[in-house]
């Protein structure tokens, strides 16, 4: 755990770098969109202005309209909800599942460790995208299924990270001390080991928002992710991909929203890693 | 070395056995089972029983699994629900197109990542290093299919420099490969930087400089030889991701490879083809991992001799 006297130093190191601050700003902007979508949107995202189909960016429609005359800005703002909640759910699933398995594997070592690591090897044998697509094609469209597909393909990252860290901690004196005091295993794992792994886990959780958001966008773009009746960034790209010569704005802005969001998590995660573990920074 | 190779192969066999279990388990995820999926929602119980009998789905799970496994091991991936053709030849026919895309994408990402990564490591925290850092993070943050769409919009539709879709001329591969390679370039750039940065601190390079070698020789010949090892692993890990990304990119560019074929069969819920395709991808990744480990052992004798 980050001790309080350290916390100030970490925060100072974190905000010293402009790129990290930009990352945090992008994340906060995203959270504001997620929380206040109905207030911020100039129009109802579903409302079709059929007279204004594919109208270019203007004062009336800041980012233009799509094929059905729906306001792109409003749809982007509402689409943030899908991406963000999905990213959170998948990271939460990965944390729960991956961290537990990783802790167990790293702490016990030996047979348990090699068995659990073989299991992650099996999951890693599939390209993530293909595995997720296969799950979606048998389960069908829907938010829950996307979460299922991306958690099943994403938990290994947490498991491997936590396992490696736990392995390096388990022979340290403080672990031996709690062992000799007779602490039960779950207590050692979650009360003593886990708090010492928080730094890398926080970094992984931040950076780990990026992949699900990107993969969901791709799945939805391909028509096997979020159903088309829900405003989502991938879905917006899919609706207008055939009209990009005439309506460049309709494929440019939703993609930019994805890129900015993912960039935010990557920038902030990168800065966090440097601030929490200065050894890694040359 | 022989022992090492044998042990490595043995490990992969177990991973592949696990893969078959996972692929088989995928079928069990179908809500209501495959028969309901084939027949549609308003199938009667008799129809479902009939289909289950015909496909052998009424047998106990382990019998079904072992039967399927036996065929897969012999290279029989079954026939497609869609057109009743054997699956494996249809997949293998499309492999060259996908490999072409992967190789060119890898080439693009290397020619982008190598120079920027090396410069960033030689001059850490310089302006160039920071620009490189932003570029790398930008590269991994943009959805590759979106890059593909923008490339089509600008260079195919507006400027007409490259064909937008298909694989008719040699210029066809450039745009899809570039879109696919961008994110890998970002990751490689960071990897090359950190790996080279670490090596550059080592004493043997001081010796090399003291001998009077030019900085260029010191960095490119002496330092890179050691720095390239972790980069090889990264490339191998990334090829798996490229393979996944290629499914989306092939669809955007109508590239006639395995990925697009797989996607179309997924839309039709052609379960045997999906299973066959997953197996093929997993075998490909496993072979790749073995080759990487062997390369690694070849370059770094320490691995060969220790546990």
């Amino acid at each position: 755990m980050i001790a309080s006297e350290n916390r100030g130093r970490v925060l100072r190191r974190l905000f010293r770098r402009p790129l990290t601050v930009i990352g945090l700003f992008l994340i906060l902007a995203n959270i504001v969109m997620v929380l206040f979508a109905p207030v911020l949107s100039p129009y109802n995202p579903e409302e079709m202005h059929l007279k204004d189909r594919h109208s270019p960016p203007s004062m009336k429609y800041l980012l233009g309209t799509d094929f059905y005359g729906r306001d792109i800005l409003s749809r982007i703002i509402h689409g943030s909800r899908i991406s963000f909640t999905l990213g959170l759910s998948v990271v939460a699933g990965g944390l729960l599942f991956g961290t537990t398995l990783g802790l167990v594997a790293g702490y016990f070592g030996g047979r348990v460790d090699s068995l659990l690591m073989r299991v992650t090897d099996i999951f890693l044998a599939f390209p993530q995208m293909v595995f997720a697509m296969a799950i979606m094609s048998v389960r069908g469209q829907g938010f829950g299924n996307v979460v299922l597909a991306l958690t099943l393909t994403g938990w290994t990252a947490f498991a491997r990270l936590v396992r490696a860290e736990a392995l390096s901690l388990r022979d340290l004196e403080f672990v031996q001390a709690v062992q000799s005091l007779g602490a039960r295993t779950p207590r050692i794992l979650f009360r003593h080991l886990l708090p010492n792994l928080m730094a890398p886990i926080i970094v992984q959780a931040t950076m780990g928002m990026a992949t699900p958001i990107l993969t969901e966008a791709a799945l939805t773009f391909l028509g096997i992710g979020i159903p088309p009746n829900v405003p989502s960034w991938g879905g917006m790209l899919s609706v207008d991909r055939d009209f990009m010569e005439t309506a460049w704005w309709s494929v440019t802005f939703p993609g930019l929203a994805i890129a900015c969001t993912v960039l935010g998590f990557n920038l902030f995660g990168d800065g966090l890693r440097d601030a929490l573990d200065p050894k890694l920074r040359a | 070395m022989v022992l090492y190779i044998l042990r490595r192969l043995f490990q992969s066999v177990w991973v592949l056995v696990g893969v078959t279990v996972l692929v088989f388990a995928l079928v069990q995820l179908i809500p209501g089972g495959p028969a309901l999926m084939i027949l549609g929602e308003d199938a009667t119980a008799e129809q479902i029983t009939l289909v289950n009998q015909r496909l052998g789905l009424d047998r106990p799970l382990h019998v079904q699994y072992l039967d399927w496994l036996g065929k897969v091991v012999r290279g029989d991936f079954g026939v497609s629900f869609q057109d009743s053709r054997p699956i494996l030849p249809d997949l293998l026919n499309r492999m060259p197109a996908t490999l072409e895309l992967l190789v060119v994408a890898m080439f693009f990402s290397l020619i982008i990542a190598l120079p920027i990564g090396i410069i960033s490591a030689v001059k850490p925290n310089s302006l160039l290093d920071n620009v490189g850092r932003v570029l790398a993070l930008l590269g991994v943050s943009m959805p590759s299919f979106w890059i593909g769409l923008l490339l089509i919009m600008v260079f195919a539709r507006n400027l007409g420099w490259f064909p937008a879709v298909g694989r008719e001329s040699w210029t066809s591969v450039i745009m899809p490969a570039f879109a696919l390679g961008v994110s890998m370039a970002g990751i490689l750039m960071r990897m090359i930087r950190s790996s080279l940065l670490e090596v550059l601190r080592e004493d043997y390079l001081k010796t090399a400089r003291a001998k009077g070698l030019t900085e260029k020789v010191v960095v490119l010949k002496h330092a890179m030889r050691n720095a390239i090892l972790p980069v090889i692993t990264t490339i191998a890990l990334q090829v798996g991701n490229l393979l996944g990304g290629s499914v989306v990119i092939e669809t955007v560019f109508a590239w006639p490879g395995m990925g697009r074929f797989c996607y179309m069969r997924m839309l039709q819920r052609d379960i045997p083809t999906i299973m066959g395709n997953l197996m093929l991808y997993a075998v490909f990744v496993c072979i790749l991992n073995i080759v990487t480990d062997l390369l690694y052992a070849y370059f770094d004798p320490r691995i060969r001799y220790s546990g």
Side-chain angles (χ1 to χ4, degrees), chain B residues 4-196:
Chain B
Y4 176 78
I5 297 177
L6 283 178
R7 201 169 47 216
R8 193 62 194 72
L9 284 176
F10 184 69
Q11 267 177 13
S12 301
V13 170
W14 281 112
V15 169
L16 280 176
V17 170
V19 162
T20 59
V21 174
L22 207 57
V23 169
F24 186 77
L26 188 77
V27 182
Q28 316 308 320
L29 277 177
I30 301 172
L36 190 71
M37 199 187 77
I38 297 169
L39 294 165
E41 292 297 324
D42 34 52
T44 62
E46 292 87 56
Q47 286 173 314
I48 290 179
T49 321
L50 202 69
V51 169
N52 277 341
Q53 269 170 8
R54 190 169 320 147
L55 295 176
L57 297 173
D58 52 348
R59 297 169 298 167
L61 271 184
H62 66 274
V63 177
Q64 287 182 44
Y65 169 71
L66 289 176
D67 181 43
W68 175 73
L69 182 67
K71 284 183 184 153
V72 165
V73 169
R74 278 175 273 145
D76 175 10
F77 281 33
V79 294
S80 156
F81 279 173
Q82 206 60 37
D83 52 14
S84 302
R85 284 156 55 94
I87 291 159
L88 197 58
D90 271 354
L91 287 174
L92 292 177
N93 281 341
R94 288 167 173 83
M95 211 173 202
T98 298
L99 289 180
E100 179 190 340
L101 186 62
L102 291 189
V103 169
V104 182
M106 222 176 330
F107 170 75
F108 275 132
S109 60
L110 274 174
I111 56 169
I112 299 171
L114 270 175
I116 304 183
I118 292 174
I119 294 170
S120 299
V122 174
K123 293 200 179 351
N125 296 320
S126 64
L127 179 68
L128 260 170
D129 181 24
N130 278 314
V131 171
R133 186 191 185 103
V134 175
L135 279 181
L137 285 172
L138 212 63
V140 296
S141 300
M142 291 186 290
S144 61
F145 67 92
W146 180 60
I147 299 176
L149 289 177
L150 293 186
L151 288 175
I152 292 178
M153 182 166 86
V154 176
F155 295 104
R157 300 261 198 264
N158 289 343
L159 296 171
W161 290 357
F162 299 103
V165 292
R167 192 195 175 205
E168 266 77 57
S169 77
W170 68 270
T171 49
S172 299
V173 73
I174 293 176
M175 289 204 303
F178 184 83
L180 188 58
V182 167
S183 70
M184 180 167 162
I187 293 166
L188 278 184
M189 219 184 274
R190 302 292 290 164
M191 196 62 222
I192 292 168
R193 177 189 181 272
S194 65
S195 169
L196 186 57

Side-chain angles (χ1 to χ4, degrees), chain A residues 6-7 13 31 42 50 59 69 80 83 98-99 102 111 142 151 220 269:
Chain A
N6 264 338
R7 201 168 288 163
R13 251 198 325 253
I31 296 176
L50 290 174
M59 285 315 286
S80 69
S83 295
T99 307
R111 287 238 176 104
T151 309
T220 307

Side-chain angles (χ1 to χ4, degrees), chain A residues 56-272:
Chain A
S58 63
M59 285 315 286
K60 193 175 174 199
Y61 307 105
L62 284 178
L63 301 182
T65 62
D66 71 357
F67 176 70
Y68 299 103
R70 296 176 295 196
D71 180 46
I72 287 181
L73 177 62
S74 306
R75 288 181 74 73
I76 287 180
I77 292 174
H78 278 266
S80 69
R81 294 186 152 182
I82 287 288
S83 295
F84 198 80
T85 44
L86 182 110
L88 276 186
S89 318
V90 173
V91 166
L95 273 174
L96 207 71
F97 201 54
T99 307
T100 312
L101 282 181
L103 271 179
V104 170
Y107 178 69
F108 288 104
R111 287 238 176 104
V112 181
D113 180 34
S114 34
L115 181 71
L116 287 174
M117 282 305 107
R118 283 294 89 78
V119 174
T120 63
D121 282 345
I122 293 165
F123 278 84
L124 286 170
F126 301 100
Q128 194 184 16
M129 187 68 207
V130 179
F131 195 26
M133 285 173 72
I135 297 172
M136 290 310 293
S137 68
V138 299
R139 298 286 305 174
Q141 289 183 334
F143 186 85
N145 286 341
V146 179
V147 173
L148 174 79
L150 298 188
T151 309
L152 275 177
T153 53
W155 64 276
T156 46
F158 285 98
R160 300 199 130 203
L161 172 89
V162 171
R163 177 252 178 193
E165 298 282 334
L167 206 58
S168 69
L169 285 182
R170 66 174 191 151
D171 293 326
L172 293 187
E173 277 170 2
F174 81 94
V175 181
Q176 287 169 353
V178 277
Q179 279 168 343
S180 57
L181 284 173
R184 287 184 306 122
T185 311
R187 195 181 162 85
I188 300 176
L189 290 183
F190 292 100
R191 292 296 292 273
H192 296 280
L193 275 179
L194 191 60
N196 283 291
L197 300 173
M198 277 331 267
I201 290 178
I202 290 171
V203 173
Q204 175 66 31
T206 312
M207 308 273 260
M209 288 286 284
T211 315
I213 292 178
L214 284 174
T215 317
E216 176 273 313
L219 289 172
T220 307
F221 173 75
L222 293 174
I224 48 176
I226 304 294
N229 56 353
V230 183
S232 68
W233 296 339
M236 295 175 72
L237 289 169
S238 152
V239 166
D240 279 289
R241 59 174 289 198
D242 295 326
F243 309 101
M244 50 194 169
E245 306 115 283
T246 47
W248 59 268
W249 53 90
S250 57
V251 286
T252 308
F253 294 124
L256 216 52
I258 303 171
C260 286
T261 306
V262 174
L263 184 67
F265 286 108
N266 278 332
L267 280 175
F268 189 66
D270 208 39
L272 260 181

